[in-house]
Amino acid sequence: MEVYLDNNATTMVDPEVFKEMEPFFCHIYGNPNSLHKFGAGTHPKMVEALNYLYDGINAADEDDIIVTANATESNNTVLKGIWIDKILNGNKNHIITSEVEHPAITATCKFLESQGVSVTYLPVNEEGVLDAAQVKDYIREDTALVSIMWANNETGKIFPIKEIGQICKEAGIPFHTDATQAIGKVPVDVQECNVNYLSLSAHKFHGPKGVGALYVQKGYTLTPLLHGGEQMGGHRAGTVDVASMIGMGFAMKLATSKIALAYENNHVRKLRDKLENAILEIPETLVIGGKENRTPNTTLISIRGVEGESMLWDLNQKTIGASTGSACASEDLEANPVMNAFGSDSELAHTGVRFSLSRFNTEEEIDYAIEAIKNAIHRLRAISSSYAYTPKDHVSEL
Ligand SMILES: *Cc1c(COP(=O)(O)O)cnc(C)c1O
């Protein structure tokens, strides 16, 4: 049996989505900007896809949704656009973000710091959650942007986006959220939460890789990252990947319907909890950040005496795919800010294993995974030189 439990890294393209994309490679291939029937042939499905994107995040008709290559590009577009417009060509010089953002935010912020921008990285508490009131405390006269993720990719923790949106609105500061891990897992409503910019990536919700979107509220237009043709109303030059855009739209429709979100919250949550509870029955295991306030598909578990990397190797032997946290940070676990947020216990930082499910996982798969995980823990603890000597209560305190 093959069991894929790494859906926060990427997901399988839903076959329904692929079916929508297929005609746009060899049959309907015109450039949508061309003034002939080949180009125009792409329009109806593109419009439909765009409408699904608007509906999926409850964007208003007059707002913009710019199709990008991925969430990384969307995040860069916002941060660098704010930098050009409000910092280089304005009188602001400060950005507020969190310590646990995806590298697409933190690495961009580090770059902006190297250019003289002042950046505040808000820490998360021991539950892995950010306190919205902190945002208020750190807002300055020269704050140009607040950028806080909707849900964390490693712990699944959901951040208080509505409260932060309200605080930013009252302070008159633009608010961006990286919602890449929230789409299809929890309801996302940009109007209700006063979000001005939102990033997403199609391959995290069963759409194709290499396509994403940036939501821009009316009145919040930024200097584009890519200059060239007039595509996307001049906000993002370059011929759009028509098939992928259509795939993203249909993936959004499928992932954010009431039924899909209910399925995620009931069925996927039940499978995640079954897996998690089976592991927690084993002594000296814990859910990093605790069980509250998470996306229904994710669990980040620490298993005393078991190196995350060794666990992944054992599971891979059983054709089970999991992760030690962020795939993007997995070569650099020591410096992983999400793990560091839970204290300086370096052993804990090396024992995190992330299981992230999707609507395509079955109960049989979870049963198979539980068996394999238990065997792996047993085997790895038996050969661990440190395990027997580690004081027990050190980790159970957390
Ligand atoms: C995966 C992910 C990204 C980056 O997505 P890409 O498609 O690789 O650009 C950004 N933010 C979060 C929270 C993610 O999980």
Side-chain angles (χ1 to χ4, degrees), residues 8-10 69-75 100-105 149-154 178-182 185 199-204 208-212 326 328 354:
N8 286 9
T10 194
N70 46 42
T72 300
E73 185 192 322
S74 301
N75 289 342
V100 297
E101 299 293 313
H102 187 276
I105 292 287
M149 70 201 324
W150 200 299
N152 184 268
N153 40 302
E154 299 184 41
D178 177 354
T180 309
Q181 291 293 342
K185 291 167 190 158
S199 304
L200 59 86
S201 217
H203 72 100
K204 300 289 176 84
K209 292 169 185 59
V211 66
S326 172
C328 320
R354 181 187 72 187

Side-chain angles (χ1 to χ4, degrees), residues 41-206:
T42 62
H43 293 181
K45 277 282 183 193
M46 285 174 76
V47 169
E48 200 182 338
L50 203 52
N51 283 334
Y52 293 140
L53 294 176
Y54 274 80
D55 289 348
I57 59 172
N58 194 29
D61 287 344
E62 60 271 21
D63 299 339
D64 263 323
I65 291 183
I66 302 164
V67 176
T68 63
N70 46 42
T72 300
E73 185 192 322
S74 301
N75 289 342
N76 270 267
T77 303
V78 173
L79 290 169
K80 289 173 182 163
I82 288 283
W83 178 46
I84 293 164
D85 295 349
K86 307 258 184 215
I87 296 174
L88 294 179
N89 296 309
N91 55 357
K92 312 278 187 192
N93 193 39
H94 179 229
I95 290 171
I96 298 175
T97 186
S98 84
E99 276 183 355
V100 297
E101 299 293 313
H102 187 276
I105 292 287
T106 37
T108 311
C109 284
K110 293 283 175 209
F111 165 73
L112 294 181
E113 277 188 296
S114 78
Q115 303 301 304
V117 177
S118 168
V119 182
T120 299
Y121 300 89
L122 298 177
V124 293
N125 63 20
E126 61 283 356
E127 263 143 43
V129 177
L130 189 98
D131 179 5
Q134 269 202 318
V135 174
K136 199 170 186 169
D137 292 344
Y138 282 90
I139 286 177
R140 310 191 322 211
E141 194 77 348
D142 66 341
T143 302
L145 180 77
V146 171
S147 177
I148 303 286
M149 70 201 324
W150 200 299
N152 184 268
N153 40 302
E154 299 184 41
T155 56
K157 288 284 169 169
I158 299 163
F159 287 2
I161 294 304
K162 195 173 169 185
E163 286 83 345
I164 297 169
Q166 189 59 36
I167 288 166
C168 292
K169 188 184 174 190
E170 281 164 15
I173 293 167
F175 176 40
H176 166 250
T177 183
D178 177 354
T180 309
Q181 291 293 342
I183 303 291
K185 291 167 190 158
V186 292
V188 169
D189 185 328
V190 289
Q191 295 187 60
E192 188 198 2
C193 295
N194 289 303
V195 168
N196 309 121
Y197 304 103
L198 178 144
S199 304
L200 59 86
S201 217
H203 72 100
K204 300 289 176 84
F205 53 93
H206 303 289

